[in-house]
Amino acid sequence: MPYTFRAATSSDTQAITDIYNASVIAGGSTADLTPRTFEQRQDWVDSHKPPYGVFVVESSEQPGLVIGFGALSVFYDRAGYDGVTDLAYYIDPAWQGKGVGTFMLQHLLDEARNRHMRKACGIIFADNAGSIALMHRFGFTQFGLMPAAATDSTGAMRDMSYWYLDL
């Protein structure tokens, strides 16, 4: 297996920050308009209390090299939604198109099931072909489309697509 998956630690925060900020700057995958600071990303990692969590993928060929991260996050902060998780994942631009996203999503779904989640949701820019393909590949169902819902750092107005998978 060319990649390893594990829970993120505080020593991963810089890599998580760098990977996320590359996505912010490139546009097309997050509605953050400006890069996040190390402290903001650390607070975000720390906010993920069980059964939620943040995870990283490393290259097996270069141990310690974080090439992507993902999270199981609170979908909606009301108790009736417990067991529903919002999935997010970001891959280092140099590692995109090499199967890291597929590896990440499989392991995030395994974690969600192991943590007794009942549904996984993905909220994705509707023109993000790579993430939409992953949703299809893993059997997610699209349950909504919100036109012109969010702007990214490039100033482009993006439609949002909403996906779920029963676990």
Side-chain angles (χ1 to χ4, degrees):
M1 187 62 61
Y3 310 119
T4 58
F5 178 90
R6 63 173 174 77
T9 66
S10 59
S11 66
D12 298 315
T13 302
Q14 189 61 59
I16 289 168
T17 303
D18 293 344
I19 292 166
Y20 186 74
N21 285 342
S23 293
V24 170
I25 292 164
S29 61
T30 178
D32 270 324
L33 303 179
T34 59
R36 305 288 88 188
T37 66
F38 177 92
E39 291 76 17
Q40 287 169 320
R41 286 282 86 185
Q42 185 65 61
D43 289 346
W44 176 81
V45 171
D46 292 344
S47 75
H48 286 76
K49 306 295 183 208
Y52 306 100
V54 179
F55 306 90
V56 297
V57 171
E58 293 180 336
S59 166
S60 296
E61 297 168 2
Q62 299 175 57
L65 178 63
V66 174
I67 58 175
F69 74 93
L72 302 175
S73 299
V74 172
F75 172 72
Y76 199 64
D77 67 352
R78 294 197 176 133
Y81 291 100
D82 288 354
V84 179
T85 187
D86 177 19
L87 299 176
Y89 46 87
Y90 294 88
I91 310 301
D92 183 307
W95 289 85
Q96 292 174 4
K98 298 179 181 182
V100 180
T102 300
F103 181 86
M104 172 73 75
L105 188 52
Q106 180 62 62
H107 283 78
L108 285 173
L109 291 172
D110 290 346
E111 282 290 332
R113 290 180 182 105
N114 291 338
R115 293 161 183 253
H116 307 290
M117 301 287 179
R118 56 189 169 84
K119 286 192 185 296
C121 295
I123 303 170
I124 302 166
F125 288 150
D127 60 351
N128 184 331
S131 285
I132 299 300
L134 280 176
M135 295 293 102
H136 286 292
R137 179 178 183 148
F138 284 91
F140 281 71
T141 300
Q142 185 174 350
F143 68 93
L145 180 73
M146 187 183 300
T151 305
D152 70 7
S153 66
T154 69
M157 182 59 69
R158 308 277 183 169
D159 297 345
M160 297 304 300
S161 62
Y162 295 81
W163 300 80
Y164 78 92
L165 180 69
D166 289 322
L167 301 172

